[in-house]
Amino acid sequence: MIRIGVLTGGGDCPGLNAVIYGVVVRACQYGFEVWGIEDGYKGLLSGKVRRLRKEDVKDIYWLGGTVLGTSRKNPAKSEDELRTAVENVKKLGLDVLITIGGDDTLGAARKLYERGVPVIGVPKTIDNDLPGTDYSIGFWTSVQTITDALDKLHTTARSHKRVMIVEIMGRYAGWLTLMGGLAGGAHIILIPEKPVDIDEVCRIVKERKERGEPYSLIAVAEGVTIPTTGDLVAVSAEKDEFGHVRLGGVSKILEEEISKKTGMEVRSVILGHLQRGGIPSAYDRVLGIRLGCKAVDLVKEGKFGYAVVVKGIEIESVKIDEIVSGLRRVPEELHEYTNIFTL
Ligand code: F6P
């Protein structure tokens, strides 16, 4: 009997439950047992697990968030905790750990693998910034949420003839802002991969007004640096266990600058965690179930240290090393789409 442990780590996103569903259903087909580890690595360190049978997951594949709970606990923060995590895998009788997460969660999974724990990774993050996979779970649902928000902001911005700035998540990568901005018709799209020229932004806004387009919608990524100082804008300087600050607030700084330079009425809105909430899109449900099933296929093959990924229409596997090899940013060939609605 093979006992699989499954956990979700880092920020939640829509589609995680679909992965859990896929894991449990495929494990049942093979006669494997699944144990859900609660609250990510926090639950692994405290030994908080519960059995997941088919009946426990039958209605979850379409739910947002994660039924297992999550945390930003880093089990590799200290040697002691890493040892406890490895020991607990043994104590709990787990033959393999399926870790569903972003670069932090999968980076920690790699450390556990180096200590002899058989692991399999499933990439998830709305930020879509992981190498080795075309898309990560949650991304396209989040893009839809951003699109819906922009659709709404068009009508209010147009009515008031205002400049409206929408701040979008994504940390140091502009995928959400670019794709959400494109789908939602943002007139100006500002991503971390491309330096911001504030005078150019003001010129476009004024030029639009002069030619009878009295309002402008600007999509800005939270990871865009302030043009004058080159600094990121953070909610506070406090860092999480993986060393990340909480980004947020660049839209407010742009609001003040643009208002000062154009004399126009400007408003800013931070979409925040709305982008991580809600039910997964059809794409994320299907992707989640397929990735979950494939992860258990790898368990059956004994192919550990790998992550399951999507490439085109295929579900494949790559080494976890590749997923955690660095940040995947928006490539230059896509930068031209940042001004498709400017022209
Ligand atoms: O990595 C996903 C993400 O949503 C980022 O886009 C964002 O900067 C961060 O998580 C927010 O984290 P928290 O939920 O800890 O506020």
Side-chain angles (χ1 to χ4, degrees):
M1 163 64 70
I2 293 197
R3 281 162 67 101
I4 300 172
V6 58
L7 64 81
T8 48
D12 76 318
C13 68
L16 292 172
N17 289 325
V19 180
I20 297 167
Y21 179 82
V23 166
V24 173
V25 167
R26 181 54 57 92
C28 289
Q29 284 171 353
Y30 292 150
F32 300 164
E33 249 179 34
V34 181
W35 289 79
I37 299 165
E38 292 182 20
D39 303 332
Y41 289 118
K42 211 181 194 178
L44 180 62
L45 290 168
S46 61
K48 220 169 146 203
V49 298
R50 67 184 144 101
R51 181 78 196 276
L52 290 181
R53 296 183 179 84
K54 215 168 168 178
E55 55 271 28
D56 299 314
V57 298
K58 69 175 173 10
D59 289 326
I60 68 164
Y61 70 92
W62 62 277
L63 292 179
T66 161
V67 292
L68 289 175
T70 187
S71 67
R72 292 200 186 275
K73 178 76 201 159
N74 180 2
K77 199 163 175 245
S78 74
E79 223 10 83
D80 275 358
E81 284 191 323
L82 195 54
R83 205 174 311 117
T84 306
V86 174
E87 278 166 14
N88 280 0
V89 171
K90 284 193 196 120
K91 272 192 207 154
L92 295 166
L94 301 175
D95 299 297
V96 53
L97 210 55
I98 296 181
T99 57
I100 311 166
D103 56 337
D104 296 333
T105 303
L106 299 190
R110 185 176 59 168
K111 294 221 165 87
L112 291 172
Y113 181 63
E114 284 162 4
R115 303 288 167 113
V117 177
V119 298
I120 288 161
V122 182
K124 72 84 220 175
T125 169
I126 61 164
D127 302 345
N128 203 41
D129 57 359
L130 300 171
T133 187
D134 286 358
Y135 301 112
S136 50
I137 283 288
F139 173 65
W140 281 112
T141 305
S142 190
V143 169
Q144 186 60 56
T145 302
I146 295 161
T147 307
D148 294 345
L150 287 176
D151 287 351
K152 291 188 167 80
L153 291 169
H154 272 285
T155 62
T156 170
R158 188 187 292 121
S159 304
H160 284 268
K161 302 177 179 53
R162 282 173 173 159
V163 176
M164 184 70 81
I165 308 171
V166 193
E167 183 171 319
I168 294 168
M169 280 185 170
R171 284 227 167 105
Y172 317 110
W175 291 102
L176 281 174
T177 305
L178 177 61
M179 298 304 181
L182 257 184
H187 304 112
I188 300 169
I189 298 176
L190 305 173
I191 58 174
E193 290 84 348
K194 222 178 136 191
V196 172
D197 180 342
I198 194 80
D199 291 325
E200 177 62 4
V201 169
C202 293
R203 188 196 63 75
I204 295 166
V205 163
K206 281 201 281 192
E207 199 253 342
R208 279 179 52 76
K209 193 176 168 190
E210 278 154 22
R211 72 174 138 98
E213 304 273 13
Y215 84 102
S216 290
L217 206 52
I218 303 175
V220 61
E222 62 177 4
V224 156
T225 51
I226 310 172
T228 45
T229 63
D231 292 333
L232 286 164
V233 185
V235 174
S236 86
E238 207 184 309
K239 291 188 173 160
D240 69 15
E241 291 209 355
F242 291 93
H244 303 295
V245 289
R246 258 177 69 205
L247 296 176
V250 69
S251 55
K252 191 74 198 158
I253 292 172
L254 291 178
E255 177 189 315
E256 281 156 20
E257 276 292 296
I258 296 169
S259 156
K260 208 162 60 191
K261 291 194 163 165
T262 63
M264 286 175 74
E265 211 178 9
V266 190
R267 294 286 187 272
S268 61
V269 53
I270 299 179
L271 287 188
H273 293 82
L274 285 172
Q275 296 162 99
R276 291 226 307 259
I279 58 170
S281 63
Y283 181 83
D284 279 324
R285 294 179 198 194
V286 172
L287 180 61
I289 291 172
R290 291 184 73 199
L291 291 176
C293 288
K294 178 77 176 178
V296 179
D297 291 343
L298 295 192
V299 173
K300 193 158 190 266
E301 289 166 35
K303 201 169 170 186
F304 305 123
Y306 279 77
V308 289
V309 297
V310 59
K311 294 204 171 165
I313 57 163
E314 306 293 339
I315 302 294
E316 296 178 6
S317 60
V318 300
K319 287 204 162 145
I320 290 183
D321 292 4
E322 188 179 338
I323 305 283
V324 299
S325 62
L327 187 68
R328 182 178 64 152
R329 307 187 91 196
V330 175
E332 232 172 283
E333 60 265 31
L334 292 182
H335 289 193
E336 60 159 315
Y337 295 107
T338 56
N339 58 12
I340 213 89
F341 294 103
T342 307
L343 310 167

